[in-house]
Amino acid sequence: MHTPPTLTATTPCLLPPNWAVWERRLLDVLSTAVHPFLERYTRPDGSLIWADAWPAGVRDGVDDFYESSVNWPLLYLLGGAADLLPIAQRQWDVITRQLTDFGVLRHEYEIGYDQFHQSEHYTYFYLLCRADAAHAVNRARAARFAGFYTGDDPDAPNYDPVLRIIRAPHNGSGGPRWGFLDDPDVIADQWSETMRPYGLPFHDVPGISTYDDLRDPVLARRMADVMQHRHGRGDVATNLLVTSLLTNAYLLTGDPRYRTWVLDYVEAWIARAAQNGGRLPDNIGLDGRIGADLDGRWYGGLYGWAWPHGFYNISMAAVAAGTNAYLLSGDTRYLDLPRSQYDRMLELGVYKPLEAITPAAQFSYSLPDTAAADTPRFVIPFRYSDQGWFDYQPVLANPLVVLWGVSGAAEDWARLEQLRAAEGHDWRRVEQFRTKEDSGHERPWLRFLAGELPEYPELILRQSHGILSRRLEQIRNDRADLAQVNIHHWQEHNPITTEALVQLTLGAPQPIYNGGLLHTPLAYSDPIAARPGLPPDIAALVSRVTAATVQVELVNLAPFSQREVIVHAGMFNEHRFTSARTGAETHSFDADRLRIILPPAARQRSP
């Protein structure tokens, strides 16, 4: 590795900015917050305290185990304590053994389930691989996992390379897992109030016109049989999230087969969208035809446009696949796949009062709740079925902001400005909330980058500290019987929040929760400790990002000690630094990283 160019800060920092103090404090306290969680929810070996056996006939739930600590390696990547990486790795390994003992994993990978759920927890694995790319066991795992889709494992024939389809909505280490569940009777017994907001999967099943009709066991079994067939085979759009699994394997190994697989598979879906008038279809039959098992319908596939979440997961799959293909190829044409889907949805936007908006898809964005119930808001239809577009919700910003963050393109920024103009409300408001995805503050962050909300860093850091304190209080007061709790209990008590730190230090939004890689314009490493992340006492603030430039300020809070930091041109060193300006001096070079020396109590700001 070539020695990176070196710059030395010359500006004293006798009065540290508030954002720098709050940032370092948040990093430090978050690093210790994992220990109360482990003490309450895990056994001495790290396994999660839960029931003794996996429910018979149930495929769901593997993701929830891993999601208990899904973002811990991300905190390490940001500069959290050194022991976070071995802790996060231990939790992955122990949970993997625990789930293997339950009989739901094969070769350390899920036997077969939908990619909407699988991809929620494989973000954990991608972050572990980014935190320690030399980890031999994880490198072997990455190749083995990818092999379930390249044909390397003959017992996992998931992929048809001729038709370029993943052969079933439920897929994994056991190959296509046909059907919606192993036993249709299980589906028939699953009427619940929780699923009511999502309504019926299909509206053409004889005798079933409302969700409550499923209370009748005969009708419920009739619906189950239809789901077994229509949701039980063929490719679905959400399988585009598998591209992250193959991209991760390529980044670790450099094996060109993985790159070829990703580009071929994304190309196939681009062609299907073109065949469907530009709209991404959600189901492909085993013969390669759109709607082959749904009477020609382009909608109705599992985790597709009709049920249960619609554009919520379609948008994440399209953005993840497009950005993965762009990362591997440098071809911006792949970004047009998610761009075109968003453009079409924004064209369908209407204004509805808050009281008329259904709650089905409100996962990631909390509407400003100070508005009156009859206040119209800009919303788009998340779902499409036989009756047309329905389920109007606010636009999910995170995937759209990820798209802009990867491209830096003016057209993607313009798309965000179009959304802001349509929504009409003040994007500078900073609400305190924590979603499952640990995202949702993209709107005020973008206003900060636009120069309209200079107080955002301190506001979001203080709120993140408050969210952490609340989670720790919930852990202290938790008296639940852990052998009986809902399987989401752990993730609802995970104290780690990284959104503010990712935005401010890396200049990027949170990665897409369902299988997105961590795309950022900058990354850091500690040359003294030989590890990724900000070194001790250093705070970083990215205040401007364009396609060609990044403005970052680095502060050394240590009054007695010099610090050094390596600044990388992208999380994957995929960019190049060509120049930097320090004060009035401009430095020119061609490098994928820079070495910055910060004397005691010094700061450095790039243009």
Side-chain angles (χ1 to χ4, degrees):
M1 183 183 297
H2 298 295
T3 301
T6 299
L7 303 176
T8 301
T10 57
T11 304
C13 183
L14 303 181
L15 184 62
N18 286 343
W19 66 262
V21 176
W22 275 105
E23 184 176 289
R24 285 308 320 183
R25 175 174 172 79
L26 184 61
L27 270 169
D28 292 341
V29 296
L30 281 171
S31 295
T32 63
V34 299
H35 299 290
F37 179 93
L38 292 170
E39 291 170 5
R40 177 69 181 97
Y41 300 112
T42 68
R43 302 181 181 93
D45 68 347
S47 60
L48 291 166
I49 302 172
W50 196 56
D52 295 330
W54 198 263
V58 174
R59 297 179 181 180
D60 188 17
V62 170
D63 56 299
D64 299 294
F65 276 71
Y66 290 107
E67 285 176 278
S68 62
S69 45
V70 65
N71 56 357
W72 295 8
L74 176 51
L75 180 59
Y76 171 81
L77 274 167
L78 291 163
D83 66 349
L84 280 171
L85 181 58
I87 290 173
Q89 185 67 60
R90 183 196 73 160
Q91 289 307 109
W92 177 274
D93 295 341
V94 169
I95 289 170
T96 298
R97 289 196 296 270
Q98 187 174 7
L99 291 169
T100 299
D101 292 341
F102 278 136
V104 293
L105 302 186
R106 171 185 177 265
H107 295 331
E108 300 187 312
Y109 190 94
E110 192 155 357
I111 291 174
Y113 199 44
D114 64 77
Q115 286 296 329
F116 174 81
H117 284 95
Q118 286 195 56
S119 295
E120 286 181 313
H121 69 265
Y122 282 112
T123 53
Y124 187 167
F125 181 65
Y126 307 149
L127 292 167
L128 283 174
C129 292
R130 188 51 29 200
D132 184 5
H135 192 283
V137 174
N138 284 343
R139 288 171 66 89
R141 283 169 170 156
R144 186 191 322 129
F145 296 170
F148 301 138
Y149 298 90
T150 60
D152 292 350
D153 187 334
D155 295 324
N158 288 298
Y159 189 61
D160 180 336
V162 176
L163 296 176
R164 294 184 293 178
I165 61 171
I166 293 175
R167 299 171 63 220
H170 285 190
N171 52 80
S173 60
R177 197 170 184 181
W178 309 112
F180 183 66
L181 282 183
D182 296 330
D183 183 355
D185 287 331
V186 175
I187 311 175
D189 289 338
Q190 283 193 333
W191 184 97
S192 70
E193 197 66 31
T194 303
M195 294 299 294
R196 177 186 292 278
Y198 307 113
L200 295 172
F202 301 104
H203 296 270
D204 61 343
V205 181
I208 304 175
S209 59
T210 70
Y211 185 73
D212 283 335
D213 288 337
L214 299 181
R215 291 178 182 269
D216 183 329
V218 174
L219 297 179
R221 179 55 193 256
R222 186 178 301 168
M223 177 65 77
D225 289 339
V226 173
M227 293 174 71
Q228 279 292 92
H229 174 70
R230 293 182 178 177
H231 285 168
R233 63 183 186 177
D235 208 352
V236 292
T238 306
N239 279 339
L240 279 164
L241 293 167
V242 176
T243 60
S244 293
L245 194 75
L246 277 292
T247 301
N248 180 64
Y250 175 79
L251 293 170
L252 287 178
T253 68
D255 188 330
R257 295 182 306 135
Y258 303 141
R259 177 182 181 275
T260 298
W261 191 100
V262 171
L263 299 185
D264 282 351
Y265 189 56
V266 176
E267 288 280 4
W269 279 100
I270 289 174
R272 291 162 193 154
Q275 182 184 348
N276 195 46
R279 180 83 61 190
L280 193 66
D282 67 18
N283 69 101
I284 309 296
L286 290 173
D287 59 1
R289 293 185 300 118
I290 296 172
D293 290 313
L294 283 99
D295 300 323
R297 297 179 179 91
W298 58 270
Y299 56 89
L302 181 61
Y303 280 95
W305 287 104
W307 185 85
H309 308 316
F311 192 59
Y312 172 78
N313 49 275
I314 293 287
S315 64
M316 290 191 287
V319 172
T323 53
N324 288 335
Y326 171 64
L327 175 67
L328 297 183
S329 69
D331 189 342
T332 59
R333 178 175 57 88
Y334 291 111
L335 300 179
D336 291 337
L337 175 65
R339 284 169 175 161
S340 62
Q341 303 312 304
Y342 263 100
D343 287 342
R344 287 171 172 269
M345 299 309 298
L346 291 173
E347 290 172 359
L348 294 171
V350 297
Y351 291 87
K352 287 179 175 287
L354 297 181
E355 59 190 0
I357 297 173
T358 56
Q362 290 187 18
F363 290 97
S364 293
Y365 176 54
S366 176
L367 282 168
D369 55 11
T370 57
D374 59 355
T375 301
R377 289 297 188 197
F378 180 77
V379 290
I380 62 173
F382 269 48
R383 297 195 278 163
Y384 186 89
S385 192
D386 292 344
Q387 70 269 41
W389 291 105
F390 68 108
D391 192 8
Y392 285 81
Q393 303 290 338
V395 174
L396 182 69
N398 176 256
L400 189 57
V401 178
V402 168
L403 177 60
W404 165 77
V406 171
S407 75
E411 69 170 284
D412 292 318
W413 182 266
R415 197 169 281 107
L416 290 164
E417 287 293 283
Q418 175 190 350
L419 175 62
R420 184 167 71 98
E423 289 188 335
H425 62 78
D426 190 354
W427 277 23
R428 294 172 298 179
R429 293 185 55 186
V430 185
E431 305 283 349
Q432 186 177 54
F433 61 88
R434 163 73 184 272
T435 67
K436 173 183 175 179
E437 295 89 344
D438 197 14
S439 64
H441 293 92
E442 293 85 4
R443 288 166 170 82
W445 174 60
L446 292 176
R447 289 299 89 203
F448 163 69
L449 293 180
E452 296 180 1
L453 189 58
E455 64 272 25
Y456 177 75
E458 185 176 348
L459 287 174
I460 193 65
L461 287 165
R462 293 177 65 174
Q463 289 193 8
S464 297
H465 193 280
I467 290 170
L468 165 64
S469 298
R470 173 59 179 154
R471 283 289 173 96
L472 291 174
E473 179 186 39
Q474 290 175 326
I475 292 172
R476 288 193 300 269
N477 296 331
D478 186 6
R479 300 292 182 267
D481 179 356
L482 299 180
Q484 303 293 326
V485 295
N486 182 281
I487 205 165
H488 300 99
H489 193 78
W490 309 304
Q491 60 189 261
E492 292 168 354
H493 289 78
N494 176 12
I496 303 305
T497 176
T498 58
E499 182 186 23
L501 294 171
V502 170
Q503 290 176 347
L504 301 182
T505 69
L506 302 180
Q510 280 280 94
I512 290 173
Y513 187 79
N514 292 72
L517 299 183
L518 180 62
H519 298 275
T520 66
L522 297 179
Y524 308 96
S525 62
D526 183 342
I528 306 302
R531 54 152 292 186
L534 288 169
D537 300 313
I538 292 182
L541 178 63
V542 175
S543 54
R544 184 161 63 92
V545 180
T546 71
T549 63
V550 178
Q551 181 172 287
V552 59
E553 181 175 3
L554 300 170
V555 176
N556 179 11
L557 294 172
F560 304 111
S561 304
Q562 174 177 291
R563 299 296 188 200
E564 296 181 21
V565 60
I566 303 296
V567 183
H568 298 257
M571 182 56 61
F572 310 105
N573 289 315
E574 69 270 35
H575 305 302
R576 306 292 293 181
F577 290 124
T578 57
S579 66
R581 195 163 71 239
T582 57
E585 188 175 1
T586 299
H587 312 266
S588 297
F589 30 68
D590 181 16
D592 63 3
R593 66 199 72 198
L594 300 175
R595 175 173 173 254
I596 310 296
I597 297 176
L598 293 157
R603 67 199 303 175
Q604 181 65 63
R605 186 180 186 185
S606 68

